[in-house]
Amino acid sequence: GENVEQHPSTLSVQEGDSAVIKCTYSDSASNYFPWYKQELGKGPQLIIDIRSNVGEKKDQRIAVTLNKTAKHFSLHITETQPEDSAVYFCAAIRGVRGYNKLIFGAGTRLAVHP
Amino acid sequence: GAVVSQHPSWVICKSGTSVKIECRSLDFQATTMFWYRQFPKQSLMLMATSNEGSKATYEQGVEKDKFLINHASLTLSTLTVTSAHPEDSSFYICSAGTGGEAEAFFGQGTRLTVV
């Protein structure tokens, strides 16, 4: 089955700096890679995703890149703000219409210091 | 995005009692929902797949008789923790997809504390 590894486990940056979180996956058939932000005591919130037919996707300060050959994908947050502080999870799935059995990475605790 | 609602958001129960957690898709129908469990500072671990109109599929190591799942309609799945013990204390989260794409939307989670 799929296995997703995520690094680093914790990341501390100064406000305004960039943050990068990296994930690798094992199942070459996986074709959908979402990123979730989880704040304390809340459920995960989808912040950006990418499909295997795309190499990069950007949404304002957030971007995701995918390298299918190496089987890794990364989350990039630019101009970080204190409200970006949270736990971020990557996930992978062999996406089938309406079937979303996600395999999560271990999570990265991001702290943005003013 | 689609909205998934969980209830209750937190619950405290006595050891030996049962607790039911509801997961609703508010603005879409979900033939499949997923239940996850999350311990403090850990990732989400898939417990089971809830299928509308049929039995749930449990992940290896999850006791199906302890964690009862019912998916009675296209908008509601319930997870019942039976004969709860302190080690069942955790954060339980459900997710569902709209059926059109691969995106999964999560409920706000339920924090269960067994005393």
Side-chain angles (χ1 to χ4, degrees), chain A residues 32 36 38 41-46 49 51 89 93 95-107 109, chain B residues 32 34 36 38 41-44 46 49 59 91 93 96-97 99-109 111:
Chain A
Y32 175 65
Y36 288 86
Q38 186 179 29
K42 297 183 179 180
Q45 178 186 8
L46 177 68
D49 57 16
R51 287 175 171 77
F89 291 98
I93 185 177
V96 176
R97 186 183 178 93
Y99 190 81
N100 321 95
K101 183 177 177 180
L102 295 170
I103 305 300
F104 284 88
R109 188 171 300 275
Chain B
T32 306
F34 300 88
Y36 294 82
Q38 186 179 33
K41 297 187 179 181
Q42 293 190 22
S43 187
L44 288 81
L46 181 66
T49 303
E59 295 299 304
F91 195 53
I93 313 171
E101 296 293 340
E103 293 93 337
F105 299 94
F106 286 81
Q108 65 268 44
R111 180 160 303 284

Side-chain angles (χ1 to χ4, degrees), chain A residues 1-113:
Chain A
E2 177 65 277
N3 182 51
V4 179
E5 293 190 359
Q6 183 172 347
H7 299 280
S9 56
T10 60
L11 180 59
S12 182
V13 300
Q14 289 297 125
E15 181 177 3
D17 288 350
S18 295
V20 180
I21 303 170
K22 298 182 179 182
C23 288
T24 60
Y25 61 100
S26 60
D27 187 354
S28 58
S30 290
N31 57 6
Y32 175 65
F33 309 92
W35 285 89
Y36 288 86
K37 176 183 180 182
Q38 186 179 29
E39 298 178 334
L40 190 63
K42 297 183 179 180
Q45 178 186 8
L46 177 68
I47 57 172
I48 196 167
D49 57 16
I50 192 167
R51 287 175 171 77
S52 58
N53 59 346
V54 177
E56 183 174 358
K57 183 177 178 180
K58 189 174 182 180
D59 182 5
Q60 299 183 338
R61 297 187 296 109
I62 296 173
V64 57
T65 59
L66 171 65
N67 183 325
K68 285 177 17 181
T69 303
K71 289 190 284 188
H72 67 69
F73 55 113
S74 300
L75 176 70
H76 305 252
I77 305 174
T78 59
E79 301 174 28
T80 54
Q81 302 168 2
E83 50 264 39
D84 294 330
S85 297
V87 179
Y88 291 81
F89 291 98
C90 63
I93 185 177
R94 183 190 306 182
V96 176
R97 186 183 178 93
Y99 190 81
N100 321 95
K101 183 177 177 180
L102 295 170
I103 305 300
F104 284 88
T108 296
R109 188 171 300 275
L110 172 65
V112 180
H113 301 285

Side-chain angles (χ1 to χ4, degrees), chain B residues 48-68:
Chain B
T49 303
S50 174
N51 305 299
E52 188 270 336
S54 64
K55 292 182 179 180
T57 304
Y58 291 82
E59 295 299 304
Q60 189 172 11
V62 178
E63 300 176 58
K64 62 180 181 180
D65 293 332
K66 180 168 188 61
F67 299 100
L68 301 179

